[in-house]
């Protein structure tokens, strides 16, 4: 008889990946030029992984070729790097029109879910304090959801029913996991971020100081909102993977899956953060 794997069997690999990877990422993101290059590389890898998550085709000959997958990555990178907003909107709309004509629905979805958020990442990546804050909140939201969800599954206590639409997207998701994710992300915003900024003497902008003010309630609301967006991003990717009958977007990160699996939670969170930055800057001009 085969021995059933423990739900914690991947934990050592997860911890090793974090211990090795996070200090490297921190060092890279602390340099503006390297930070931009980092997100360009991540964008390209995420686009490549996303191109493999097309819904399963009944006919094998309809599957995308390597060249078509590379084309999507190049298109996504090129559109995201348009420096002028009006030009970006023009090119994005034109690209969507052409892809609609070519019946590339998955690519259109990719432009919305990947290209637009990474264009935002390119801008925010020049602010180290904001970049590391967003990533820590969403990654700790992921970690909280994983740990609490797994502990609840083995606790024997009565489980909170999961809404049917969520269970349909990902049967492994649990309400306890969602609560753990919200707690992990919110706790990071309330407690971790101000301490890290202080301990490491990280330079901050006026906008950052307004968003991450000394007000506990404001940091709580910001962390909670970003955690909700992180969970939503994770659910969206889970839905895409389910349609493509794929468990992980890749295997490049031991214990974590692919690059998209690590950054899916940040895609909506970074858009929310950018919106809040615009609100703060707009109010400061009035």
């Amino acid at each position: 008889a085969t021995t059933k794997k423990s739900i914690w069997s991947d934990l050592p690999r997860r911890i090793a990946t974090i211990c090795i990877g996070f200090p490297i990422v921190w060092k890279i993101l602390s340099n503006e030029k390297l930070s931009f290059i980092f997100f360009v590389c991540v964008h390209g890898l995420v686009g490549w992984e996303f191109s493999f998550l097309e819904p399963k085709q009944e006919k094998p000959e309809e599957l995308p070729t390597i060249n078509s997958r590379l084309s999507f990555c190049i298109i996504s990178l090129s559109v995201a790097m348009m420096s002028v907003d009006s030009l970006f909107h023009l090119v994005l709309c034109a690209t969507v029109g052409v892809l609609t004509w070519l019946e590339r629905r998955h690519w259109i979805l990719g432009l919305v879910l990947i290209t637009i958020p990474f264009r935002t990442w390119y801008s925010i990546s020049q602010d180290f304090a904001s970049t590391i804050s967003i990533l820590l909140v969403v990654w700790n939201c992921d970690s909280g959801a994983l740990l609490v969800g797994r502990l609840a599954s083995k606790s024997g206590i009565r489980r909170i029913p999961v809404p049917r639409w969520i269970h349909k997207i990902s049967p492994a998701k649990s309400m306890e996991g969602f609560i753990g994710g919200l707690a992990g992300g919110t706790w990071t915003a309330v407690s971790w971020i101000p301490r890290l900024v202080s301990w490491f003497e990280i330079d901050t902008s006026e906008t950052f100081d307004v968003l991450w003010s000394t007000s506990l309630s404001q940091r709580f609301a910001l962390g909670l909102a970003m955690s909700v967006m992180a969970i939503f991003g994770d659910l969206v990717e889970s839905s895409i993977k389910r349609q493509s009958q794929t468990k992980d977007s890749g295997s490049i990160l031991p214990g974590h899956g692919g690059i998209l699996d690590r950054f899916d939670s940040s895609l909506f969170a970074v858009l929310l953060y950018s919106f809040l930055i615009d609100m703060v800057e707009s109010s400061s001009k009035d």
Side-chain angles (χ1 to χ4, degrees):
T2 57
T3 304
K4 189 176 180 181
K5 267 189 175 183
S6 166
I7 59 172
W8 305 108
S9 61
D10 62 342
L11 195 59
R13 287 177 295 153
R14 283 180 172 270
I15 294 174
T17 300
I18 293 170
C19 291
I20 295 171
F22 187 73
I24 297 172
V25 170
W26 178 288
K27 188 66 176 177
I28 291 172
L29 296 180
S30 64
N31 181 287
E32 289 186 6
K33 291 182 180 178
L34 290 179
S35 183
F36 180 80
I37 294 171
F38 171 82
F39 278 102
V40 170
C41 294
V42 170
H43 183 179
L45 290 170
V46 165
W48 177 254
E49 290 179 352
F50 180 84
S51 71
F52 283 86
L53 298 179
E54 289 208 42
K56 287 295 181 182
Q57 304 288 340
E58 294 182 3
K59 300 177 182 179
E61 61 270 15
E62 293 179 356
L63 291 172
T65 63
I66 295 298
N67 287 340
S68 69
R69 297 185 196 281
L70 285 173
S71 297
F72 170 74
C73 295
I74 293 170
I75 290 171
S76 183
L77 285 163
S78 301
V79 173
M81 288 186 186
M82 297 291 170
S83 57
V84 182
D85 285 344
S86 57
L87 180 60
F88 166 71
H89 296 143
L90 173 63
V91 173
L92 180 66
C93 290
T95 305
V96 169
V98 172
L99 293 178
T100 301
W101 177 63
L102 294 173
E103 297 184 350
R104 292 285 189 177
R105 296 182 182 86
H106 188 66
W107 287 21
I108 295 173
L109 181 62
L111 287 177
V112 174
L113 295 180
I114 296 173
T115 308
I116 295 176
F118 271 100
R119 174 178 167 79
T120 305
W121 264 128
Y122 291 160
S123 174
I124 289 181
S125 68
Q126 303 307 290
D127 179 353
F128 175 58
S130 291
T131 301
I132 206 68
S133 297
I134 297 169
L135 291 177
L136 281 173
V137 169
V138 299
W139 285 347
N140 282 345
C141 175
D142 284 348
S143 298
L146 177 76
L147 292 173
V148 174
R150 289 186 178 183
L151 287 170
S153 69
K154 292 295 182 181
S155 65
I157 62 174
R158 186 175 180 181
R159 308 293 299 278
I160 304 173
V162 178
R164 185 175 298 178
W165 66 273
I166 294 179
H167 184 76
K168 189 175 180 181
I169 291 174
S170 180
K173 303 293 184 190
S174 69
M175 293 305 296
E176 293 82 4
F178 292 140
I179 294 170
L182 293 176
T186 305
W187 173 60
T188 301
V190 170
S191 182
W192 278 39
I193 303 305
R195 285 183 170 86
L196 286 174
V197 169
S198 174
W199 290 342
F200 291 96
E201 298 180 344
I202 299 173
D203 293 332
T204 60
S205 63
E206 290 184 13
T207 305
F208 180 91
D209 292 337
V210 171
L211 282 175
W212 300 91
S213 70
T214 53
S215 168
L216 182 66
S217 59
Q218 182 168 314
R219 291 201 307 274
F220 179 89
L222 178 59
L224 183 63
M226 289 173 63
S227 297
V228 170
M229 289 296 100
I231 290 172
F232 182 64
D234 180 67
L235 283 172
V236 169
E237 198 219 351
S238 293
S239 177
I240 294 170
K241 289 192 294 187
R242 188 163 183 80
Q243 292 181 41
S244 67
Q245 299 175 25
T246 305
K247 183 180 183 296
D248 294 318
S249 66
S251 57
I252 193 170
L253 299 174
H256 295 266
I259 301 296
L260 178 55
D261 293 319
R262 199 85 298 264
F263 278 85
D264 58 355
S265 300
S266 76
L267 300 180
F268 289 97
V270 73
L271 293 177
L272 171 66
Y273 193 87
S274 177
F275 169 72
L276 294 175
I277 286 176
D278 290 342
M279 284 186 60
V280 170
E281 291 179 346
S282 177
S283 63
S284 65
K285 292 177 182 178
D286 296 336

